[in-house]
Amino acid sequence: KNEVEQSPQNLTAQEGEFITINCSYSVGISALHWLQQHPGGGIVSLFMLSSGKKKHGRLIATINIQEKHSSLHITASHPRDSAVYICAVISTSGTYKYIFGTGTRLKVLA
Amino acid sequence: DAGITQSPRHKVTETGTPVTLRCHQTENHRYMYWYRQDPGHGLRLIHYSYGVKDTDKGEVSDGYSVSRSKTEDFLLTLESATSSQTSVYFCAISERQGAYSNQPQHFGDGTRLSIL
């Protein structure tokens, strides 16, 4: 079982829909990082959070440390949001380690 | 975003040839990382560096070597490329490392490497 699991793996939505991407992890962490990767593109940092909630524009990220779960929400989705969203955790066990999920591929249709 | 340049961006080569990928940063960050990205896997760490001439292995280091002779450059070398090394390679940098430093890693645009 992967230490960081994302769901769903693939998601297709209509423009304007509210989208939720989930990330669950099984290790102790000090922070969680949400990243975005457009097709054929580089990887861009969205949020790093260790508690509570962060918001930037139409993106909201939340984390529940006790439940070992984080969500990334996109409000009023747009075709330009189509990308792979990657969850990564900074593990506190052993040597410092960034552990990545396999990503959620989002496609937003106009 | 962070000043990270990977070169080349695309490369096609043949099995058995040596390949060197370059990562150049303008942020003066101490830590640099090489990852590979393959379908069905999260990003996997190949090697990382914690200073000039200081490097360590990651989880998938077999078949790869690295060098860092200057703060700004981190090279990844495939001494004798194999088809299993066909992948997208990402370089990342961070200011600090440590479980509670909570320093994000910043990524380059990737190098798409095909080995035929």
Side-chain angles (χ1 to χ4, degrees):
Chain A
K1 190 178 187 300
N2 293 335
E3 293 166 303
V4 179
E5 298 273 1
Q6 289 186 235
S7 64
Q9 291 187 334
N10 294 283
L11 179 58
T12 300
Q14 292 293 324
E15 184 173 0
E17 284 186 9
F18 181 84
I19 290 163
T20 296
I21 298 169
N22 297 297
C23 177
S24 296
Y25 51 91
S26 57
V27 295
I29 73 166
S30 60
L32 184 143
H33 198 177
W34 281 103
L35 303 143
Q36 180 193 56
Q37 184 179 19
H38 280 104
I43 298 171
V44 175
S45 175
L46 296 177
F47 298 103
M48 174 165 270
L49 63 168
S50 53
S51 65
K53 174 173 148 179
K54 285 192 176 180
K55 183 175 189 291
H56 180 70
R58 295 180 295 105
L59 300 178
I60 304 166
T62 64
I63 188 168
N64 185 316
I65 295 293
Q66 287 72 32
E67 294 185 5
K68 295 191 172 182
H69 181 268
S70 175
S71 293
L72 177 68
H73 305 286
I74 304 174
T75 61
S77 60
H78 189 275
R80 65 175 173 265
D81 297 324
S82 298
V84 175
Y85 291 84
I86 301 170
C87 168
V89 301
I90 300 180
S91 168
T92 57
S93 59
T95 306
Y96 161 83
K97 195 174 174 185
Y98 233 79
I99 307 173
F100 295 85
T102 55
T104 293
R105 188 175 299 275
L106 171 66
K107 186 170 185 179
V108 181
L109 304 175
Chain B
D1 218 323
I4 307 169
T5 304
Q6 290 187 232
S7 59
R9 293 294 315 280
H10 303 270
K11 186 171 181 68
V12 180
T13 190
E14 294 183 345
T15 301
T17 59
V19 177
T20 296
L21 309 182
R22 180 182 183 234
C23 178
H24 178 78
Q25 59 140 333
T26 58
E27 306 296 321
N28 202 35
H29 285 356
R30 180 179 175 188
Y31 295 91
M32 298 184 75
Y33 312 83
W34 277 108
Y35 292 94
R36 60 179 290 173
Q37 184 181 46
D38 303 291
H41 294 274
L43 286 154
R44 292 182 291 174
L45 183 65
I46 304 171
H47 282 279
Y48 70 97
S49 170
Y50 47 97
V52 173
K53 296 186 179 170
D54 292 322
T55 64
D56 205 352
K57 295 180 180 180
E59 60 182 308
V60 290
S61 60
D62 286 349
Y64 301 95
S65 62
V66 290
S67 66
R68 191 166 177 203
S69 58
K70 297 185 287 185
T71 298
E72 57 266 34
D73 289 325
F74 192 31
L75 304 181
L76 177 71
T77 298
L78 292 65
E79 301 289 348
S80 178
T82 68
S83 59
S84 64
Q85 294 175 311
T86 291
S87 188
V88 181
Y89 291 86
F90 284 94
C91 173
I93 64 174
S94 68
E95 282 191 85
R96 292 189 294 277
Q97 176 169 295
Y100 296 96
S101 71
N102 289 354
Q103 282 292 308
Q105 291 185 14
H106 300 283
F107 292 82
D109 288 337
T111 293
R112 189 171 296 274
L113 178 63
S114 296
I115 300 163
L116 307 176

Coordinates of all heavy atoms in Angstrom, one line a residue, chain B residues 52-93:
Chain B
V52 N 27.9 21.7 -2.1 CA 28.9 21.4 -3.1 C 29.6 20.1 -2.8 O 30.1 20.0 -1.7 CB 29.8 22.6 -3.3 CG1 30.9 22.3 -4.3 CG2 29.0 23.8 -3.8
K53 N 29.7 19.2 -3.7 CA 30.4 17.9 -3.6 C 29.8 17.0 -2.5 O 30.4 15.9 -2.2 CB 31.9 18.1 -3.3 CG 32.6 18.8 -4.4 CD 34.1 18.9 -4.3 CE 34.7 19.6 -5.5 NZ 36.1 20.0 -5.4
D54 N 28.6 17.4 -2.0 CA 27.9 16.5 -1.0 C 26.7 16.0 -1.6 O 25.7 16.7 -1.9 CB 27.6 17.3 0.3 CG 28.8 17.7 1.0 OD1 29.8 16.9 1.1 OD2 28.8 18.8 1.6
T55 N 26.6 14.6 -1.8 CA 25.5 14.0 -2.5 C 25.1 12.7 -1.7 O 26.0 12.2 -1.0 CB 25.7 13.7 -4.0 OG1 26.7 12.7 -4.1 CG2 26.1 15.0 -4.7
D56 N 23.9 12.3 -2.0 CA 23.5 11.0 -1.3 C 22.4 10.4 -2.2 O 21.8 11.0 -3.1 CB 22.9 11.3 0.0 CG 23.0 10.0 0.9 OD1 23.4 9.0 0.4 OD2 22.7 10.2 2.1
K57 N 22.3 9.0 -2.1 CA 21.4 8.3 -2.9 C 20.0 8.4 -2.5 O 19.7 8.5 -1.3 CB 21.8 6.8 -2.9 CG 23.2 6.5 -3.4 CD 23.5 5.0 -3.4 CE 24.8 4.7 -3.9 NZ 25.2 3.3 -3.9
G58 N 19.1 8.3 -3.4 CA 17.7 8.2 -3.2 C 17.2 6.8 -3.3 O 18.0 5.8 -3.3
E59 N 15.9 6.6 -3.5 CA 15.3 5.2 -3.6 C 15.6 4.5 -4.9 O 15.4 3.3 -4.9 CB 13.8 5.3 -3.3 CG 13.0 6.2 -4.2 CD 11.6 6.3 -3.9 OE1 10.9 5.2 -3.7 OE2 11.0 7.4 -3.8
V60 N 15.9 5.2 -6.0 CA 16.0 4.5 -7.3 C 17.4 5.0 -7.9 O 17.4 5.5 -9.0 CB 14.8 4.8 -8.2 CG1 13.6 4.1 -7.7 CG2 14.6 6.3 -8.4
S61 N 18.5 4.8 -7.2 CA 19.7 5.4 -7.6 C 20.5 4.5 -8.6 O 21.5 5.0 -9.2 CB 20.6 5.8 -6.4 OG 20.8 4.6 -5.6
D62 N 20.2 3.2 -8.6 CA 21.0 2.3 -9.5 C 21.0 2.7 -10.9 O 20.0 3.0 -11.5 CB 20.4 0.9 -9.4 CG 20.7 0.2 -8.1 OD1 21.5 0.8 -7.3 OD2 20.1 -0.8 -7.8
G63 N 22.2 2.8 -11.5 CA 22.4 3.2 -12.9 C 22.5 4.7 -13.1 O 22.7 5.1 -14.2
Y64 N 22.5 5.4 -12.0 CA 22.7 6.9 -12.1 C 23.8 7.4 -11.2 O 24.1 6.8 -10.1 CB 21.4 7.6 -11.6 CG 20.1 7.3 -12.3 CD1 19.3 6.3 -11.9 CD2 19.8 8.0 -13.5 CE1 18.1 6.0 -12.5 CE2 18.6 7.7 -14.1 CZ 17.8 6.7 -13.7 OH 16.6 6.4 -14.3
S65 N 24.5 8.4 -11.6 CA 25.4 9.1 -10.8 C 25.2 10.6 -10.9 O 24.5 11.1 -11.8 CB 26.9 8.8 -11.2 OG 27.1 9.2 -12.5
V66 N 25.7 11.3 -9.9 CA 25.4 12.8 -9.9 C 26.7 13.5 -9.5 O 27.7 12.9 -8.9 CB 24.3 13.2 -8.9 CG1 23.0 12.8 -9.4 CG2 24.6 12.7 -7.5
S67 N 26.8 14.8 -9.8 CA 27.9 15.6 -9.4 C 27.4 17.0 -9.2 O 26.5 17.5 -9.8 CB 29.0 15.6 -10.4 OG 28.6 16.2 -11.6
R68 N 28.0 17.7 -8.2 CA 27.7 19.1 -7.9 C 29.0 19.8 -7.6 O 29.5 19.7 -6.4 CB 26.7 19.2 -6.8 CG 26.2 20.6 -6.6 CD 25.0 20.6 -5.7 NE 24.5 21.9 -5.5 CZ 23.7 22.3 -4.5 NH1 23.4 21.3 -3.6 NH2 23.3 23.5 -4.3
S69 N 29.6 20.5 -8.5 CA 30.8 21.2 -8.4 C 30.6 22.6 -8.0 O 31.6 23.3 -7.6 CB 31.7 21.0 -9.6 OG 31.0 21.6 -10.7
K70 N 29.4 23.1 -8.3 CA 29.1 24.5 -7.9 C 27.7 24.5 -7.3 O 26.9 23.6 -7.6 CB 29.0 25.4 -9.2 CG 30.4 25.5 -9.9 CD 30.3 26.5 -11.1 CE 29.5 25.9 -12.2 NZ 29.5 26.8 -13.4
T71 N 27.4 25.5 -6.5 CA 26.1 25.6 -5.8 C 25.0 25.5 -6.9 O 23.9 24.9 -6.6 CB 26.0 26.9 -5.0 OG1 27.0 26.8 -4.0 CG2 24.6 27.0 -4.4
E72 N 25.2 26.2 -8.0 CA 24.1 26.4 -8.9 C 23.8 25.2 -9.9 O 22.8 25.2 -10.5 CB 24.3 27.7 -9.7 CG 25.6 27.8 -10.5 CD 26.7 28.5 -9.7 OE1 26.7 28.3 -8.5 OE2 27.5 29.1 -10.4
D73 N 24.8 24.3 -10.0 CA 24.6 23.2 -11.0 C 24.6 21.8 -10.3 O 25.5 21.5 -9.5 CB 25.7 23.3 -12.0 CG 25.6 24.5 -12.9 OD1 24.5 24.8 -13.3 OD2 26.6 25.0 -13.3
F74 N 23.7 21.0 -10.8 CA 23.6 19.6 -10.3 C 23.4 18.8 -11.6 O 22.4 18.9 -12.3 CB 22.4 19.5 -9.4 CG 22.3 18.2 -8.6 CD1 23.5 17.5 -8.2 CD2 21.1 17.7 -8.2 CE1 23.4 16.4 -7.4 CE2 21.0 16.6 -7.4 CZ 22.1 15.9 -7.0
L75 N 24.3 17.9 -11.8 CA 24.3 17.0 -13.0 C 23.9 15.6 -12.7 O 24.3 15.0 -11.7 CB 25.7 17.0 -13.7 CG 26.3 18.4 -14.0 CD1 27.7 18.2 -14.7 CD2 25.4 19.2 -14.9
L76 N 23.1 15.1 -13.5 CA 22.7 13.7 -13.4 C 23.2 12.9 -14.7 O 22.9 13.3 -15.8 CB 21.1 13.6 -13.4 CG 20.5 12.1 -13.4 CD1 20.8 11.5 -12.0 CD2 19.1 12.2 -13.7
T77 N 23.9 11.8 -14.4 CA 24.5 11.1 -15.5 C 24.1 9.6 -15.5 O 24.0 9.0 -14.5 CB 26.1 11.1 -15.4 OG1 26.5 12.4 -15.5 CG2 26.7 10.3 -16.5
L78 N 23.6 9.2 -16.7 CA 23.4 7.8 -16.9 C 24.6 7.3 -17.7 O 24.8 7.7 -18.8 CB 22.1 7.6 -17.8 CG 20.8 8.0 -17.2 CD1 20.6 9.5 -16.9 CD2 19.6 7.6 -18.2
E79 N 25.4 6.5 -17.0 CA 26.7 6.1 -17.6 C 26.5 5.2 -18.9 O 27.2 5.4 -19.9 CB 27.5 5.3 -16.6 CG 27.8 6.0 -15.3 CD 28.8 7.1 -15.5 OE1 29.5 7.2 -16.5 OE2 29.0 7.9 -14.5
S80 N 25.5 4.4 -18.9 CA 25.2 3.5 -20.0 C 23.7 3.3 -20.0 O 23.1 2.5 -19.3 CB 25.9 2.2 -19.9 OG 25.6 1.3 -21.0
A81 N 23.0 4.2 -20.8 CA 21.5 4.3 -20.7 C 20.9 2.9 -21.1 O 21.3 2.3 -22.0 CB 21.0 5.4 -21.6
T82 N 19.8 2.6 -20.4 CA 19.0 1.5 -20.7 C 17.5 1.9 -21.0 O 17.1 3.0 -20.5 CB 19.0 0.4 -19.6 OG1 18.3 1.0 -18.5 CG2 20.4 0.1 -19.2
S83 N 16.8 1.1 -21.6 CA 15.4 1.5 -22.0 C 14.5 1.7 -20.7 O 13.6 2.5 -20.8 CB 14.8 0.4 -22.9 OG 14.8 -0.9 -22.2
S84 N 14.9 1.0 -19.6 CA 14.1 1.2 -18.4 C 14.3 2.6 -17.8 O 13.6 3.0 -16.8 CB 14.5 0.2 -17.4 OG 15.9 0.3 -17.0
Q85 N 15.3 3.3 -18.3 CA 15.6 4.7 -17.8 C 14.8 5.8 -18.7 O 15.0 7.0 -18.4 CB 17.0 5.0 -17.8 CG 17.8 4.1 -16.8 CD 19.3 4.3 -16.8 OE1 19.9 4.2 -17.8 NE2 19.8 4.5 -15.6
T86 N 14.0 5.3 -19.6 CA 13.1 6.2 -20.3 C 12.1 6.8 -19.3 O 11.4 6.0 -18.7 CB 12.4 5.5 -21.5 OG1 13.3 5.1 -22.5 CG2 11.3 6.3 -22.1
S87 N 12.1 8.1 -19.2 CA 11.3 8.7 -18.2 C 11.3 10.2 -18.4 O 11.9 10.7 -19.3 CB 11.9 8.3 -16.8 OG 11.0 8.7 -15.7
V88 N 10.5 10.9 -17.5 CA 10.6 12.3 -17.4 C 11.4 12.6 -16.1 O 11.0 12.1 -15.0 CB 9.3 13.0 -17.4 CG1 9.4 14.5 -17.3 CG2 8.5 12.6 -18.6
Y89 N 12.4 13.4 -16.2 CA 13.3 13.7 -15.1 C 13.1 15.1 -14.6 O 13.1 16.1 -15.4 CB 14.8 13.5 -15.5 CG 15.1 12.0 -15.7 CD1 14.9 11.4 -17.0 CD2 15.6 11.3 -14.7 CE1 15.1 10.1 -17.2 CE2 15.9 9.9 -14.9 CZ 15.6 9.3 -16.1 OH 15.9 8.0 -16.3
F90 N 12.9 15.3 -13.3 CA 12.7 16.6 -12.7 C 13.8 16.9 -11.7 O 14.2 16.0 -10.9 CB 11.3 16.6 -12.0 CG 10.2 16.8 -12.9 CD1 9.5 15.7 -13.4 CD2 9.8 18.0 -13.4 CE1 8.4 15.8 -14.2 CE2 8.7 18.2 -14.3 CZ 8.0 17.0 -14.7
C91 N 14.2 18.1 -11.8 CA 15.1 18.6 -10.8 C 14.3 19.5 -9.8 O 13.3 20.1 -10.2 CB 16.2 19.5 -11.5 SG 17.3 20.4 -10.4
A92 N 14.7 19.5 -8.6 CA 14.0 20.3 -7.6 C 15.1 20.9 -6.7 O 16.2 20.4 -6.5 CB 13.0 19.5 -6.8
I93 N 14.7 22.1 -6.0 CA 15.6 22.7 -5.1 C 14.8 23.1 -3.8 O 13.6 23.2 -3.8 CB 16.2 24.0 -5.7 CG1 15.2 25.0 -6.0 CG2 17.0 23.7 -7.0 CD1 15.7 26.4 -6.4

